[in-house]
Amino acid sequence: MSEDPIERGLAEAFGGGGVQRPVASVLRALQARANSILGVHLDAQDDDDAQVKVTDEVKALRDPSGRYQILGEIGRGGVGIVYKGRDSDLGRDVAMKVLKDEYADRPDVLARFVEEAQIGGQLQHPGIVPVYELGLHAGERPYFAMKLVKGETLAAQLARRSDPAQDRRRLLGIFEQVCQTMAYAHARRVIHRDLKPTNVMIGAFGEVQVIDWGFAKVMPKGGVADETESLTRASERSVIETVRSAPGSGSNSVAGSVLGTPAYTSPEQANGDVERMDRRSDVFGLGAILCEILTGEAPYREADGDLVRQAAMGALDGALERLRKCGADPALVTLCTECLARARRARPESAAEVAERVSAYLTSVEERAREAELRAAEARYRHRTTLLSTGVGLVVVMLAAGAWIWNADQAETRRAEAMQRVAGAMSTASGARGQAQAAGLDAVRWAAAVSSAEQVVALTDSVDVDANARAEAESLLGRIRSESWDAEAEAQRLERDARMRERLVEVRIPIEDQLRVDGWEERESRRLDAEYASAFTEYLGGESLLEMSIESTLESMRLGDIEVELSTSLDHWFLTRQNLPDSGVLSYRTGTARIRELAMLLDPNEHWRSRLRDLLPDAYGAVAELRRLADEADFESLTPAGCHVLSEALCQAGDKPATVRVLRRAQELHPQDFDLCYGLAMHLELLPEPDWQGALDTYRIAHALKPEHKSALHRQGVALENLGRHADAEQVFRRGLARDPTDSHLMRHVGVALAAQGRSEAAMDFFQRALEAAPGEADSYKMIGAQFLEAGRFDEAIETYYSAIVLAPTLAVHHFNLGTALLEAGENEAAVQSLQRALELDPRYASAHANLGNALSNLNDMDRAAASYERALELGLEDSWIHFNLGNSLRRLGKPRKAAESFERAIECYARALEIQPNHARTHHNLGVTLEAVGRFEDAIESYRNALDADPQLGSSRRRLMRLEGADDLEEVLTGRREAESSDQWDVAVLIGCQAGRWAEVVTLTEETLSRSPELIDSGSSWGAYNPACAAALLAADSSSGTTADERARVRHLALTWLARESERWQVWIAEGGDRAALAGERLAQAASDPDFASVRDDALEELPAAERDAWEELWSEIGRARGEGRR
Amino acid sequence: MEVPHNPDVSWSLIARAAAGERGARSVFARGYLPVVRSFLEARWRSTRLAGEVDDAVQEVFIECLRENGVLSSADPERGDLRGLLYGVTRKVAARFEERVRKRHSRDQATGSMLDAVQAREPSLSIVFDREWARTLMRLTGDRMRANAEGGTPGARLRVELLRLRFAEGMPIRAIAAQWEQDPDAVHRAYAKARAEFKSCLREVVAEHAVRSEVDLDREVERVFELLG
């Protein structure tokens, strides 16, 4: 072979098999050596060549140099043409089946053609046309030469009859030979698969042959297949089309088909269940032939509708009715009816049995005929004797004397006859017993055997036989009954095991309606718990495993052959119950312990499984040992369920990567196991860094394995969503929804995909539809709440989340969502309560810790805020914002060293975020803020510049940059030595003043700027006069500053005026809608709870003069109303 | 970089096959039959399932082509036809093996024989991959022939050259002599034919799954390696 890979590829692409040379005449070659004419020529038989046609194709095929001379066409089949040919070497006529030219390039057809020849060549029986040779005619056309059978088909003979009863005896003789031929083929494990009258040839000398083995199949083990591997080595075989793969196809004998001929086809064959076809399918074909012999018609008639449909449905009522009325011997009708049974198991086992019964029938007919003849002779004799006796009185006397002797003889004769009948019946019953034993656990056969033996016993009761015969009959009946019960018990046991095995596989398949909606794990565990309980109860004959004694449970379980499967499933059941919250009920705990104990007792000796079992009660604490077990596991000896248990234990131990490794290996070894495939995909999602692409690919395989499993499709949508392919995700979910238009989960997912594409209204529509479809599902409220939250409609979001909590009060996520909405709405105390409730339900809820930190931070509870952020980080929520907020919290708590550490961590996180998304302006900005906090001003300046490069409109970065780069100018602006040149400059100067507590300067600067150039204050989306209002409120509250009460009142008035001014501006933003509306909502919330206004709010107002107090109260009330508007 | 996608093969064929078009079904089945058959033959060699290969092959294609079958849900955007076909083939094989196990649950010989099948799973996937690679080569040859039919006389000549070289086993010099051409010119034509073949193979491989150029180059190399 070439080492050049392209050459190898080209050889595959363009190389054909070796060129085969034509089969040349051996005779001609030998004649040259023999120097004489070789050959013997016998007298030819009388030929009837009337049916042989000499066509243009025949002329074209003639090859004078070849061994076979084609004389004419005899007939055509699906893939081949049968010619009459002459073997010039052996001087005989042959039939040559030549592959049709159009199939020359069809390797599948070619393979089947060769198979037909090989089967014919190897089956040596007078009832099968011998194949002489396989070759290539003229070097091109594959052919095989076989004996030329001269005669006609059984179909032709049947068609000639004017009455079905006509010629029946002779035809049954032919049928008997067909059965015997098929018995031989079956013994060689070959099944014909297209038995019908046209495939039975009756030769000129009465020889009967079964022809056309084009659809024949070699059954596994033994027979022809073992004698030569050539059949199984053929590189390419046919793709067999069946009724199932080609709906509506009613044609027969198409290329490469096992459709057979519908009028004679068994139900399994017509349904395309080719793997279920066996000898009994041929038995059906024999029944069909017999049916036509007896009734004159095939089992299915075109007059009754589509033949294929009739055959597929086994619509035999008409045929059975015709059989009942055909007038044939009941034994034949019964045999035919049994052969035509819809269920294979109800048919005779093989052609041999049919042959035997037909032979027995024909023999009995002959015997009956002979007996009838004997009876007639006896009657004639008695008649003559009577005449003599009336004439001779002496004879009368002699008769009287000998009468008792005659009577005694008669009794003896009757007893002998009875004994003979009993012996025959015993023999029949023994035969039935033998057949039942051979069939193994076939209940029908055993029932027949019992019935047969019962008939013998009944016979011994009704006739005059001796006691020994009766005892023998009863003994036989007892033995058969006992064996029948054993067989029945064994069959039941096997069936019970098989059912349980299938059930356990089904149990492991995750529920269909889960789409990782909240709480699905618990629901799944509860389902598994219930399903395992039910499966084991059924297996134990209706008794609960948790209530039976250990001993009797084990005894019952050990009756079967599936101890390993059972113990592995018990392990899984045990793990499942470990997943469920402990109900505290003692019986539940003892039940769980019982399950584990049973698993251990049932499978005590396998070391690896025992070690795994030991670790299951505390998988979390045994992670290292579990990993070792996984490394040592001999996966190839593990069942899918065993792999599942190991992966589940690792999952419970929290080692997700190891879980995935185990599942990946298991899935490679058991690619057909849906549960492992689906589980792998699920765990790829659950990795610390989810492998969404891997999950998507694996879900696709799972979907291919089990297309009806909804989640395997739906999870593809989820993976696509996470890969950012929202439009693709939407399409997948819509596909699922098309299959089940009432699926509320899918409606929500379509909504989520739409929302991700910015189609909020359409998304909301789907969420509402989901809510209508399933009003009891909290998830719809969750999604609607998220939409409200996104739109800044906080009150509606809060209300919606409350509804979710009412429906599912124990799910942490709903409390988290409510807390988040409250946080967004500025209701920090309520937010803290909700988030704490979420954490009570799920203490490892990292996002809830983070948001709790935000709420506490807003409430100035920095100590607890910092603790919450730290916990969120511990739980793996690596978000740069959390580092940043934690740093701020710690800084404000006066813990500079620790704060610096947090800032450094925040800087690292930002750097990582920027590696992923280098142009994210806010990240640059926040990095700058953090760098500034640790004194790295030059780096901060660079970060702000990067932020402004990414988003030139980012005012906060611009102002920060200005502050860092133009500190002197800003100081001059703040102290009033120069006028602000821009809105940003004014804003930053005010910010610096506020941060430094220089309230008086801020107030003065603001008063002057408002009088001189108010446009500087109102520009863009800046905070405007809000910070000066804060400064004024703080200045007025500071009685230690040495200012007078009047002065403080004046400054308070300024605070009131400026805050009112900003409040009005924000209300305009809300009225306008859009992004600024949300911003306005946030600012109103901040103002309402801002501690800077503590001296002019709530109880503090009592200290103020009435007019002033009223003005402030009116303002706060106005702000409250505006917030309400904003939420709506 | 995105690779241009020829919509007239593979996935569109699958779509038509999945929709029930008989011609497309037949083309699909014939195109990929050798892969399925080789895998099953290798898997069941010397087992009692050796005689079931035909029926199992049929089952595989029925699984693929039946209404709402595997192909109807295949996704050309992210499809990996090899993986799909491999999955279905193994699934069907497993189903047959399970049936035998059930039928002969107490036959130790059968059990161990089928266990041996499972033990050989990894090496069996190599059989599948090799036959898959051969199928891709054959499809590439078909494509080259189809292109040549509607192409220039030179293209047709190059295809004939490849046929003579690989089907008839003729050396280039002998071909040149038969054509009464300068051997160097025939060598150049052969080099061009090789390049065309590789280009066609890239197209065929791309249509069967791969999207990016880098992946494609890697996959083409892998396909050559798989030929063994």
Side-chain angles (χ1 to χ4, degrees), chain A residues 673-717:
Chain A
D673 191 285
F674 172 82
D675 172 54
L676 289 174
C677 185
Y678 186 83
L680 171 61
M682 258 177 34
H683 281 90
L684 286 168
E685 285 187 37
L686 294 172
L687 284 172
E689 286 184 20
D691 178 1
W692 288 111
Q693 187 59 55
L696 175 63
D697 294 343
T698 316
Y699 279 129
R700 284 204 167 115
I701 296 172
H703 180 56
L705 290 172
K706 204 171 171 58
E708 70 277 16
H709 195 278
K710 287 197 280 184
S711 295
L713 173 66
H714 304 167
R715 294 308 301 172
Q716 289 177 39

Side-chain angles (χ1 to χ4, degrees), chain A residues 758-823:
Chain A
R759 295 161 63 189
S760 307
E761 281 186 21
M764 194 60 122
D765 181 41
F766 269 91
F767 295 142
Q768 294 287 3
R769 276 173 58 186
L771 191 59
E772 284 163 21
E777 287 178 356
D779 288 300
S780 298
Y781 285 107
K782 188 175 84 173
M783 300 301 177
I784 293 169
Q787 289 299 105
F788 282 136
L789 199 60
E790 184 77 14
R793 293 159 68 178
F794 302 130
D795 280 355
E796 284 154 289
I798 290 165
E799 195 179 319
T800 310
Y801 287 139
Y802 270 124
S803 301
I805 288 173
V806 168
L807 289 173
T810 57
L811 286 183
V813 69
H814 298 314
H815 295 277
F816 168 78
N817 285 337
L818 175 62
T820 304
L822 289 164
L823 182 65

Side-chain angles (χ1 to χ4, degrees), chain A residues 564-565 568 603 606-609 629-630 632-644 646 665-666 669-670 676, chain B residues 101 114-122:
Chain A
V564 173
E565 284 96 331
T568 310
D603 179 32
E606 208 285 325
H607 182 58
W608 188 90
R609 283 198 295 272
L629 266 182
E632 291 169 16
D634 175 13
F635 277 92
E636 288 174 12
S637 69
L638 273 182
T639 61
C643 297
H644 187 96
L646 175 60
R665 181 86 182 98
L669 288 166
H670 305 283
L676 289 174
Chain B
R101 277 206 190 84
L114 290 175
D115 290 344
V117 168
Q118 286 194 345
R120 289 191 290 120
E121 285 277 12

